Amino acid sequence: MKYLLFLLFLSFLACSSDDNNVDDQIQETGMYFPPSDSNDWETQSTESLNWNDQKLNDLFTFLENNETRAFIVLVNGKIIVEQYWNTDLQSQPFTANSNWYWASASKSLTGTMVGVAQEEGFLNIADKTSDYLGPGWTTMPSDKEDEISLFHQLTFTTGIDYNVSNSDCTDPACLTYLSDAGSQWYYHNATYTLLKDVLEVATGTSLNNYTDSSIENKIGMNGFWLPLSGGYGSTYYSTARDAARFGLLTLNEGQWDSTTVLGDSTYFNDMVSTSQNLNPSYGYLWWLNGKNSIVFPSSPNSFPTSLTPSAPDDMICALGKNGQIIDVIPSLDMVVVRMGDSPANELVPIVFHDELWELLNQVIN
């Protein structure tokens, strides 16, 4: 299966998927939330869940050999596994206090923030993008530009031509017409980047300030956005525990203990469900497992496989370049976080992700 996935990802060859469901051994014990004003976090032993520690060591070896910096597994909000390797961005030992980039896993954070902004009355995802960025934000004919809404940006269905030399370029000259909005799916970073500009215009504050007020201050996250080196857009940085907090918020459908962060259940459910019929494996900037087909990044073609065949079908994922991973698995009350580099340098860690879950299954089964 790993070999078939590798061929599929590199050569875009179709392959069939197998249903591998994880046996649910986790008893419902109530959800724990770490305090928002402290680094304290309750833990639980792997022995108490009857996990296989020898197989866990095998998983650790795999992760270390693949340039992992941080790995966390939560169950019911408690830390079951937390491990760090190698060095951080300043060549210091990587610890629970080290910050790392989320890359495109930041997209899922943005998707959640858009939901909060809509709930707070700053925007509506049915609005035209030009309502916020003004006319002429592309070089498309005005009637075609006006077809593009925030919904199309959330779902990568803008119709903007992706056949450009720099898919990150947000200059109007880089944004030309290919097809009508809603008629194609393509993982086009520029259209996502401009959604963050929409958030700043709509809320009247910086992306960092709105991240603080909409999510971070409510759940104890302490990350920050920094510009990308290419000059277009930004990515989010945080500790692995901050990423785990965001995963726990998502596991609890926008609720953090007694605090409601995203109370619009319709938006939340739409965000983590198939958002359009072109790529069933994509919601609002979240990847979805367990679907019968997928369009991978860098390809316009659909393939008859799920995102991560070795993982539970109900898993939703924030995924980024070089293996930045936040997995949320409601059926297991589980959050999995992985940060680090990747020898494969993938836009989205398709093969690595499945290999990780093959090994994790052996730990928890």
PDB file of all heavy atoms in Angstrom, residues 227-246:
ATOM      1  N   PRO A 227       5.594  36.824   7.891  1.00  0.00           N
ATOM      2  CA  PRO A 227       5.597  36.811   6.423  1.00  0.00           C
ATOM      3  C   PRO A 227       6.451  35.674   5.881  1.00  0.00           C
ATOM      4  O   PRO A 227       7.467  35.299   6.478  1.00  0.00           O
ATOM      5  CB  PRO A 227       6.194  38.171   6.058  1.00  0.00           C
ATOM      6  CG  PRO A 227       6.030  39.018   7.274  1.00  0.00           C
ATOM      7  CD  PRO A 227       6.120  38.085   8.443  1.00  0.00           C
ATOM      8  N   LEU A 228       6.042  35.143   4.737  1.00  0.00           N
ATOM      9  CA  LEU A 228       6.834  34.137   4.049  1.00  0.00           C
ATOM     10  C   LEU A 228       7.997  34.795   3.321  1.00  0.00           C
ATOM     11  O   LEU A 228       7.920  35.969   2.919  1.00  0.00           O
ATOM     12  CB  LEU A 228       5.965  33.371   3.056  1.00  0.00           C
ATOM     13  CG  LEU A 228       4.870  32.476   3.668  1.00  0.00           C
ATOM     14  CD1 LEU A 228       3.913  31.977   2.603  1.00  0.00           C
ATOM     15  CD2 LEU A 228       5.507  31.306   4.409  1.00  0.00           C
ATOM     16  N   SER A 229       9.061  34.044   3.118  1.00  0.00           N
ATOM     17  CA  SER A 229      10.271  34.606   2.526  1.00  0.00           C
ATOM     18  C   SER A 229      10.076  35.066   1.085  1.00  0.00           C
ATOM     19  O   SER A 229      10.761  35.955   0.606  1.00  0.00           O
ATOM     20  CB  SER A 229      11.412  33.574   2.581  1.00  0.00           C
ATOM     21  OG  SER A 229      11.057  32.386   1.899  1.00  0.00           O
ATOM     22  N   GLY A 230       9.121  34.479   0.362  1.00  0.00           N
ATOM     23  CA  GLY A 230       8.905  34.853  -1.033  1.00  0.00           C
ATOM     24  C   GLY A 230       8.195  36.179  -1.216  1.00  0.00           C
ATOM     25  O   GLY A 230       8.069  36.666  -2.347  1.00  0.00           O
ATOM     26  N   GLY A 231       7.721  36.787  -0.133  1.00  0.00           N
ATOM     27  CA  GLY A 231       7.079  38.088  -0.234  1.00  0.00           C
ATOM     28  C   GLY A 231       5.570  38.039  -0.345  1.00  0.00           C
ATOM     29  O   GLY A 231       4.913  39.084  -0.332  1.00  0.00           O
ATOM     30  N   TYR A 232       4.993  36.840  -0.486  1.00  0.00           N
ATOM     31  CA  TYR A 232       3.547  36.714  -0.589  1.00  0.00           C
ATOM     32  C   TYR A 232       3.021  35.886   0.581  1.00  0.00           C
ATOM     33  O   TYR A 232       3.417  34.743   0.775  1.00  0.00           O
ATOM     34  CB  TYR A 232       3.147  36.037  -1.901  1.00  0.00           C
ATOM     35  CG  TYR A 232       3.512  36.829  -3.138  1.00  0.00           C
ATOM     36  CD1 TYR A 232       4.586  36.446  -3.935  1.00  0.00           C
ATOM     37  CD2 TYR A 232       2.772  37.951  -3.506  1.00  0.00           C
ATOM     38  CE1 TYR A 232       4.913  37.169  -5.072  1.00  0.00           C
ATOM     39  CE2 TYR A 232       3.098  38.681  -4.638  1.00  0.00           C
ATOM     40  CZ  TYR A 232       4.174  38.287  -5.423  1.00  0.00           C
ATOM     41  OH  TYR A 232       4.504  39.007  -6.544  1.00  0.00           O
ATOM     42  N   GLY A 233       2.119  36.477   1.358  1.00  0.00           N
ATOM     43  CA  GLY A 233       1.453  35.727   2.404  1.00  0.00           C
ATOM     44  C   GLY A 233       2.276  35.557   3.658  1.00  0.00           C
ATOM     45  O   GLY A 233       3.351  36.145   3.831  1.00  0.00           O
ATOM     46  N   SER A 234       1.752  34.745   4.557  1.00  0.00           N
ATOM     47  CA  SER A 234       2.378  34.500   5.852  1.00  0.00           C
ATOM     48  C   SER A 234       2.016  33.104   6.316  1.00  0.00           C
ATOM     49  O   SER A 234       1.109  32.472   5.786  1.00  0.00           O
ATOM     50  CB  SER A 234       1.892  35.541   6.881  1.00  0.00           C
ATOM     51  OG  SER A 234       0.476  35.510   6.978  1.00  0.00           O
ATOM     52  N   THR A 235       2.764  32.622   7.306  1.00  0.00           N
ATOM     53  CA  THR A 235       2.443  31.339   7.918  1.00  0.00           C
ATOM     54  C   THR A 235       2.425  31.495   9.431  1.00  0.00           C
ATOM     55  O   THR A 235       3.039  32.428   9.982  1.00  0.00           O
ATOM     56  CB  THR A 235       3.444  30.252   7.505  1.00  0.00           C
ATOM     57  OG1 THR A 235       2.963  28.968   7.946  1.00  0.00           O
ATOM     58  CG2 THR A 235       4.814  30.483   8.120  1.00  0.00           C
ATOM     59  N   TYR A 236       1.737  30.605  10.065  1.00  0.00           N
ATOM     60  CA  TYR A 236       1.582  30.649  11.517  1.00  0.00           C
ATOM     61  C   TYR A 236       2.694  29.836  12.170  1.00  0.00           C
ATOM     62  O   TYR A 236       3.107  28.787  11.662  1.00  0.00           O
ATOM     63  CB  TYR A 236       0.218  30.071  11.886  1.00  0.00           C
ATOM     64  CG  TYR A 236      -0.208  30.274  13.315  1.00  0.00           C
ATOM     65  CD1 TYR A 236      -0.594  31.522  13.784  1.00  0.00           C
ATOM     66  CD2 TYR A 236      -0.252  29.205  14.197  1.00  0.00           C
ATOM     67  CE1 TYR A 236      -1.010  31.707  15.096  1.00  0.00           C
ATOM     68  CE2 TYR A 236      -0.669  29.368  15.516  1.00  0.00           C
ATOM     69  CZ  TYR A 236      -1.040  30.626  15.955  1.00  0.00           C
ATOM     70  OH  TYR A 236      -1.455  30.794  17.251  1.00  0.00           O
ATOM     71  N   TYR A 237       3.189  30.335  13.300  1.00  0.00           N
ATOM     72  CA  TYR A 237       4.200  29.650  14.101  1.00  0.00           C
ATOM     73  C   TYR A 237       3.642  29.446  15.501  1.00  0.00           C
ATOM     74  O   TYR A 237       2.960  30.323  16.045  1.00  0.00           O
ATOM     75  CB  TYR A 237       5.479  30.486  14.217  1.00  0.00           C
ATOM     76  CG  TYR A 237       6.330  30.551  12.980  1.00  0.00           C
ATOM     77  CD1 TYR A 237       5.957  31.351  11.907  1.00  0.00           C
ATOM     78  CD2 TYR A 237       7.516  29.835  12.882  1.00  0.00           C
ATOM     79  CE1 TYR A 237       6.739  31.429  10.769  1.00  0.00           C
ATOM     80  CE2 TYR A 237       8.314  29.911  11.749  1.00  0.00           C
ATOM     81  CZ  TYR A 237       7.923  30.719  10.695  1.00  0.00           C
ATOM     82  OH  TYR A 237       8.694  30.788   9.566  1.00  0.00           O
ATOM     83  N   SER A 238       3.970  28.303  16.095  1.00  0.00           N
ATOM     84  CA  SER A 238       3.571  28.073  17.476  1.00  0.00           C
ATOM     85  C   SER A 238       4.334  26.881  18.025  1.00  0.00           C
ATOM     86  O   SER A 238       5.071  26.202  17.313  1.00  0.00           O
ATOM     87  CB  SER A 238       2.063  27.802  17.577  1.00  0.00           C
ATOM     88  OG  SER A 238       1.762  26.451  17.277  1.00  0.00           O
ATOM     89  N   THR A 239       4.103  26.599  19.287  1.00  0.00           N
ATOM     90  CA  THR A 239       4.608  25.365  19.872  1.00  0.00           C
ATOM     91  C   THR A 239       3.699  24.211  19.452  1.00  0.00           C
ATOM     92  O   THR A 239       2.562  24.413  18.986  1.00  0.00           O
ATOM     93  CB  THR A 239       4.625  25.438  21.402  1.00  0.00           C
ATOM     94  OG1 THR A 239       3.270  25.510  21.884  1.00  0.00           O
ATOM     95  CG2 THR A 239       5.398  26.654  21.884  1.00  0.00           C
ATOM     96  N   ALA A 240       4.184  22.993  19.661  1.00  0.00           N
ATOM     97  CA  ALA A 240       3.358  21.822  19.372  1.00  0.00           C
ATOM     98  C   ALA A 240       2.147  21.766  20.301  1.00  0.00           C
ATOM     99  O   ALA A 240       1.054  21.341  19.888  1.00  0.00           O
ATOM    100  CB  ALA A 240       4.196  20.553  19.508  1.00  0.00           C
ATOM    101  N   ARG A 241       2.317  22.212  21.527  1.00  0.00           N
ATOM    102  CA  ARG A 241       1.174  22.220  22.453  1.00  0.00           C
ATOM    103  C   ARG A 241       0.106  23.222  22.008  1.00  0.00           C
ATOM    104  O   ARG A 241      -1.086  22.991  22.194  1.00  0.00           O
ATOM    105  CB  ARG A 241       1.642  22.526  23.875  1.00  0.00           C
ATOM    106  CG  ARG A 241       2.325  21.347  24.555  1.00  0.00           C
ATOM    107  CD  ARG A 241       2.472  21.582  26.044  1.00  0.00           C
ATOM    108  NE  ARG A 241       2.945  20.395  26.755  1.00  0.00           N
ATOM    109  CZ  ARG A 241       2.883  20.240  28.070  1.00  0.00           C
ATOM    110  NH1 ARG A 241       2.371  21.199  28.823  1.00  0.00           N
ATOM    111  NH2 ARG A 241       3.333  19.139  28.633  1.00  0.00           N
ATOM    112  N   ASP A 242       0.525  24.348  21.432  1.00  0.00           N
ATOM    113  CA  ASP A 242      -0.451  25.284  20.888  1.00  0.00           C
ATOM    114  C   ASP A 242      -1.237  24.625  19.756  1.00  0.00           C
ATOM    115  O   ASP A 242      -2.462  24.798  19.661  1.00  0.00           O
ATOM    116  CB  ASP A 242       0.249  26.544  20.361  1.00  0.00           C
ATOM    117  CG  ASP A 242       0.682  27.486  21.470  1.00  0.00           C
ATOM    118  OD1 ASP A 242       0.005  27.521  22.517  1.00  0.00           O
ATOM    119  OD2 ASP A 242       1.680  28.192  21.286  1.00  0.00           O
ATOM    120  N   ALA A 243      -0.540  23.903  18.897  1.00  0.00           N
ATOM    121  CA  ALA A 243      -1.219  23.193  17.814  1.00  0.00           C
ATOM    122  C   ALA A 243      -2.193  22.163  18.384  1.00  0.00           C
ATOM    123  O   ALA A 243      -3.300  21.971  17.856  1.00  0.00           O
ATOM    124  CB  ALA A 243      -0.199  22.514  16.901  1.00  0.00           C
ATOM    125  N   ALA A 244      -1.800  21.511  19.466  1.00  0.00           N
ATOM    126  CA  ALA A 244      -2.685  20.533  20.111  1.00  0.00           C
ATOM    127  C   ALA A 244      -3.922  21.220  20.688  1.00  0.00           C
ATOM    128  O   ALA A 244      -5.027  20.653  20.665  1.00  0.00           O
ATOM    129  CB  ALA A 244      -1.925  19.779  21.195  1.00  0.00           C
ATOM    130  N   ARG A 245      -3.755  22.426  21.216  1.00  0.00           N
ATOM    131  CA  ARG A 245      -4.910  23.175  21.714  1.00  0.00           C
ATOM    132  C   ARG A 245      -5.904  23.441  20.576  1.00  0.00           C
ATOM    133  O   ARG A 245      -7.122  23.287  20.748  1.00  0.00           O
ATOM    134  CB  ARG A 245      -4.464  24.502  22.343  1.00  0.00           C
ATOM    135  CG  ARG A 245      -3.825  24.361  23.724  1.00  0.00           C
ATOM    136  CD  ARG A 245      -3.337  25.715  24.244  1.00  0.00           C
ATOM    137  NE  ARG A 245      -2.680  25.576  25.541  1.00  0.00           N
ATOM    138  CZ  ARG A 245      -3.266  25.723  26.724  1.00  0.00           C
ATOM    139  NH1 ARG A 245      -4.556  26.030  26.775  1.00  0.00           N
ATOM    140  NH2 ARG A 245      -2.592  25.583  27.847  1.00  0.00           N
ATOM    141  N   PHE A 246      -5.384  23.842  19.428  1.00  0.00           N
ATOM    142  CA  PHE A 246      -6.274  24.097  18.292  1.00  0.00           C
ATOM    143  C   PHE A 246      -6.973  22.810  17.848  1.00  0.00           C
ATOM    144  O   PHE A 246      -8.169  22.812  17.538  1.00  0.00           O
ATOM    145  CB  PHE A 246      -5.483  24.701  17.134  1.00  0.00           C
ATOM    146  CG  PHE A 246      -6.311  24.936  15.904  1.00  0.00           C
ATOM    147  CD1 PHE A 246      -7.398  25.803  15.938  1.00  0.00           C
ATOM    148  CD2 PHE A 246      -6.015  24.290  14.712  1.00  0.00           C
ATOM    149  CE1 PHE A 246      -8.177  26.020  14.794  1.00  0.00           C
ATOM    150  CE2 PHE A 246      -6.782  24.497  13.577  1.00  0.00           C
ATOM    151  CZ  PHE A 246      -7.863  25.364  13.617  1.00  0.00           C
TER     152      PHE A 246
END
